[in-house]
Amino acid sequence: MIKKEEQVHDEFKRPPNLLKAKKHGNAKRFAAPLPFTDFDKDSVCPCCGYPYKNQILPLCVSISEFSFIGSGIVLYFDFVIYSQIILLIYISIVGVYTFYDNSQGFRCQFDKCEEDIYNKFSRSNVLKELDIAASYLNFATLLILIITSLIYRRHINKICLEIDDAEIEASDYSIMIYNIPKNCKKEDIRQFFLQEEGMETLELRKICMAYEVKQFLFLKVELDQQQMELSQILELERQKKKPPKTRTEILQKIKEIYEKLDYVEKYKEVIFKFTGVAFLSFNYEKHADIVCDQFQQTKIQLLLEQLNIKKYQNRKFLGNSIIVRKAPLPGDILWENLGIEIKEQYKRIVTTNIVTAILLAVGLTLIFGLSYLQEYLNEQVKFDSTTTNVIINFLGFLASLIVSFINSILSSTIIKLIIRESHSTKTEYDISIAKKIGLAEFINGAILTLLVNILIKGQNESSINSLYQTGGLNSDVMWIFMTDSFMPWFLFFFDFEHLKKLYLRREIKRLGSSCKLTQKEANEYKNVLNQEHLKVQ
């Protein structure tokens, strides 16, 4: 028999129930669910609904063990292994020879450049125009990389099939349809997908139409804010302090929000508008695949049609061009974003690109200024050689820190802007982040550095030679590589947000019943009682 206090979950209870906080921490950690787990009230966290009876995977485990969360994580770690193999192949065949050949070069003796560690082992130190041995090695490496890529492609297809067979999900039998007419009814969808040519034999099991729920979510957020404020007032009253607002005012606001929620629940069919997105489930997986094959429309094609730029002869549904995809997992869907039209979404994507370009321009300006100062010191200022080299190398190190700093700003800004893009699934959101941040950081760290060196140091007649002078491209790239290698480790060991979380966990445990945090706040600092799981998230 479950106790009454365990049946009712109060997120704003003070002091928090530390046992519940521990269970929430177990439920939210990365762990595999135990086999034959019953998802009842006894085995799931009342806060998040995830099972807290699970098992942490050991460090040395096959990546196939991650299949319980889909193929994405498995393929990511598999790609990391593949990348290491490719790098090892390249270093073994080309890298060792090139490193030795570069070190034997003597170009700096002719061009009077600084023979330092940046230039001595770089390709620019080799005087000869054509290296036959290096050409053969590069060609052999290219062939090997092509072959390994083909093998790897077959390998990842095999992994996807194995995971798909091992984990049977409702999404395997379902499809997701975008851009359905918003005045469409369930019966219209049913008739179309059971009577149209090529789809007469389909066995449609269920239709789920997605509705705009932002109004409901806003009310829930407002309710949480008011309940948090009420909890703070009650705590102040318990301490015999005067609160900024009376308890009656907050209770009245909470009552009004509940009345609005009841109204929304009662008239939801009228209030909630159809988003134009629907999910169809079939009795057989092949039936879902048949429908996907019938509709080949892409988002770009749909956007061009909506902008009246180009029309496509794709199959349409009630006059509308629709996009049909295999349905994602229910937990992967961002339901509040389904009502965003594709034109509005692309406007926000353009905004993200414009802001990213502005940040890159700022980075270009800063790097340009430092490189110009390096060139000025090289050409105009008459220090002794040691002092000049120290100053120039310090400016190169400073430029690499600026590149790293701009990369951090790019990452945080792009993430915030991508949230505004309102992607329909978490997978699309993660892919968009990976693509945009990867491209932006590559441009900032590599392309802009090359461009600045060409613009600044390429003004002389010997523009190619000037790239590997003191403070030139070789040293700039080396400093960026070293900084990029060092900064992740530094941020890992000095993650102040995580250190703050560890401190709060310890304080919650120490204070116990005198803790002033709410249950919701304590849950955010999970695993407060289970210290062996206090790992960096």
Side-chain angles (χ1 to χ4, degrees):
M1 188 72 180
I2 303 174
K3 295 181 180 180
K4 184 177 180 180
E5 62 177 5
E6 293 294 326
Q7 291 177 336
V8 179
H9 175 65
D10 184 4
E11 289 189 336
F12 306 97
K13 176 181 177 293
R14 298 174 192 261
N17 185 320
L18 300 187
L19 182 59
K20 283 187 176 181
K22 176 186 176 182
K23 288 182 177 180
H24 175 74
N26 289 341
K28 294 292 288 185
R29 66 189 180 183
F30 183 80
L34 293 173
F36 310 111
T37 300
D38 293 327
F39 292 93
D40 53 17
K41 291 183 178 180
D42 293 330
S43 61
V44 298
C45 172
C47 170
C48 59
Y50 289 101
Y52 62 83
K53 294 181 179 179
N54 50 39
Q55 56 183 352
I56 296 179
L57 298 174
L59 183 62
C60 298
V61 66
S62 171
I63 58 175
S64 61
E65 296 294 328
F66 299 146
S67 61
F68 65 93
I69 54 171
S71 60
I73 300 296
V74 178
L75 293 178
Y76 167 75
F77 284 109
D78 193 72
F79 178 74
V80 171
I81 296 173
Y82 168 74
S83 301
Q84 293 171 345
I85 293 174
I86 292 297
L87 184 61
L88 180 62
I89 291 174
Y90 186 81
I91 292 175
S92 301
I93 299 177
V94 178
V96 175
Y97 170 79
T98 305
F99 185 81
Y100 171 78
D101 195 40
N102 294 347
S103 65
Q104 300 303 310
F106 46 87
R107 187 166 196 158
C108 282
Q109 299 176 11
F110 287 86
D111 297 323
K112 298 180 181 180
C113 68
E114 184 71 23
E115 190 173 356
D116 51 26
I117 191 172
Y118 313 121
N119 297 321
K120 183 174 180 60
F121 298 102
S122 70
R123 202 63 186 159
S124 56
N125 192 39
V126 179
L127 185 62
K128 50 190 173 184
E129 298 294 334
L130 181 62
D131 190 334
I132 302 298
S135 300
Y136 281 123
L137 287 174
N138 284 323
F139 180 72
T141 305
L142 179 61
L143 288 179
I144 293 174
L145 293 181
I146 291 174
I147 294 172
T148 54
S149 297
L150 293 174
I151 295 173
Y152 178 67
R153 182 176 180 180
R154 183 178 179 182
H155 171 67
I156 60 175
N157 288 334
K158 182 181 178 182
I159 289 179
C160 289
L161 290 174
E162 289 177 353
I163 293 176
D164 188 53
D165 292 338
E167 302 291 332
I168 300 176
E169 303 285 352
S171 59
D172 296 333
Y173 300 83
S174 305
I175 61 173
M176 185 178 185
I177 308 175
Y178 299 86
N179 201 41
I180 297 174
K182 294 192 176 182
N183 59 351
C184 185
K185 305 298 180 183
K186 275 189 178 181
E187 191 56 35
D188 298 329
I189 299 176
R190 184 179 299 277
Q191 289 180 0
F192 179 84
F193 284 98
L194 294 181
Q195 297 178 7
E196 284 292 309
E197 180 183 353
M199 296 185 286
E200 302 91 345
T201 60
L202 300 183
E203 296 184 20
L204 182 59
R205 186 175 185 83
K206 187 175 182 180
I207 300 174
C208 177
M209 302 179 72
Y211 293 88
E212 296 180 0
V213 294
K214 283 190 175 180
Q215 184 178 355
F216 175 77
L217 295 177
F218 288 152
L219 287 174
K220 291 289 291 182
V221 171
E222 187 179 357
L223 178 62
D224 287 346
Q225 292 173 346
Q226 295 300 325
Q227 287 180 327
M228 175 63 77
E229 195 167 349
L230 175 62
S231 177
Q232 293 171 348
I233 289 174
L234 293 175
E235 178 63 22
L236 290 173
E237 289 179 353
R238 189 178 67 84
Q239 299 175 12
K240 297 182 179 180
K241 295 180 180 180
K242 185 179 180 180
K245 295 181 182 180
T246 64
R247 186 195 305 187
T248 306
E249 292 176 334
I250 301 298
L251 288 173
Q252 180 61 32
K253 289 182 179 179
I254 292 175
K255 180 182 177 182
E256 292 174 358
I257 295 173
Y258 272 119
E259 290 174 351
K260 291 179 181 178
L261 288 171
D262 291 339
Y263 179 82
V264 170
E265 177 66 25
K266 184 177 181 180
Y267 298 100
K268 58 185 177 182
E269 295 182 358
V270 178
I271 295 174
F272 293 151
K273 297 180 180 178
F274 179 48
T275 60
V277 178
F279 299 87
L280 276 62
S281 297
F282 298 89
N283 285 335
Y284 300 98
E285 185 177 357
K286 64 180 180 180
H287 289 183
D289 295 332
I290 289 173
V291 178
C292 291
D293 293 337
Q294 295 282 337
F295 297 89
Q296 300 295 329
Q297 190 91 348
T298 64
K299 281 191 174 182
I300 295 296
Q301 290 177 348
L302 180 57
L303 177 66
L304 294 177
E305 285 194 355
Q306 291 182 349
L307 296 175
N308 295 320
I309 296 176
K310 186 176 181 180
K311 297 293 182 181
Y312 293 90
Q313 301 300 319
N314 292 320
R315 192 166 189 170
K316 300 184 185 299
F317 168 58
L318 300 181
N320 265 30
S321 293
I322 61 173
I323 300 174
V324 180
R325 298 286 185 271
K326 288 296 288 287
L329 293 171
D332 190 37
I333 301 171
L334 301 173
W335 299 94
E336 67 274 16
N337 294 341
L338 294 182
I340 304 297
E341 293 188 359
I342 191 169
K343 288 191 290 187
E344 179 62 26
Q345 192 178 64
Y346 273 91
K347 285 181 183 178
R348 298 178 183 183
I349 291 174
V350 170
T351 302
T352 301
N353 294 335
I354 292 174
V355 174
T356 302
I358 293 173
L359 290 175
L360 288 173
V362 172
L364 174 63
T365 303
L366 294 174
I367 298 171
F368 187 90
L370 288 174
S371 294
Y372 187 84
L373 184 57
Q374 282 181 321
E375 184 68 11
Y376 178 78
L377 291 173
N378 235 348
E379 299 294 332
Q380 304 295 330
V381 179
K382 302 301 180 183
F383 291 125
D384 61 273
S385 60
T386 302
T387 304
T388 302
N389 286 337
V390 169
I391 295 175
I392 290 176
N393 280 305
F394 173 76
L395 292 176
F397 171 68
L398 187 60
S400 69
L401 288 179
I402 290 176
V403 169
S404 182
F405 177 70
I406 294 294
N407 281 344
S408 299
I409 295 177
L410 281 169
S411 299
S412 58
T413 304
I414 287 174
I415 289 173
K416 292 177 181 178
L417 291 172
I418 289 177
I419 292 174
R420 290 189 67 256
E421 292 179 3
S422 302
H423 293 280
S424 57
T425 65
K426 293 178 183 177
T427 300
E428 290 180 1
Y429 167 79
D430 292 337
I431 291 174
S432 182
I433 286 179
K435 285 183 177 179
K436 289 183 172 64
I437 290 181
L439 180 61
E441 290 187 354
F442 172 73
I443 293 175
N444 184 52
I447 302 300
L448 295 188
T449 303
L450 176 62
L451 181 62
V452 165
N453 275 273
I454 292 176
L455 292 176
I456 295 291
K457 303 176 177 66
Q459 297 175 2
N460 305 324
E461 292 183 2
S462 56
S463 59
I464 300 300
N465 295 338
S466 65
L467 295 181
Y468 54 89
Q469 298 291 336
T470 303
L473 180 63
N474 285 342
S475 62
D476 288 347
V477 171
M478 184 65 71
W479 276 116
I480 290 174
F481 282 166
M482 289 191 294
T483 304
D484 286 346
S485 300
F486 166 76
M487 287 303 292
W489 289 95
F490 176 81
L491 296 175
F492 179 83
F493 286 110
F494 297 95
D495 186 349
F496 297 106
E497 188 65 28
H498 180 67
L499 294 176
K500 176 185 175 183
K501 181 181 288 188
L502 292 179
Y503 170 76
L504 289 173
R505 286 172 176 170
R506 189 182 66 179
E507 286 299 297
I508 293 171
K509 182 181 178 181
R510 183 180 65 84
L511 292 172
S513 59
S514 61
C515 179
K516 298 179 181 179
L517 294 179
T518 64
Q519 185 69 51
K520 183 177 182 179
E521 291 170 331
N523 286 352
E524 292 176 358
Y525 306 107
K526 49 194 174 181
N527 293 347
V528 293
L529 297 180
N530 205 351
Q531 293 297 317
E532 65 265 25
H533 297 315
L534 298 184
K535 300 176 181 178
V536 176
Q537 300 298 315

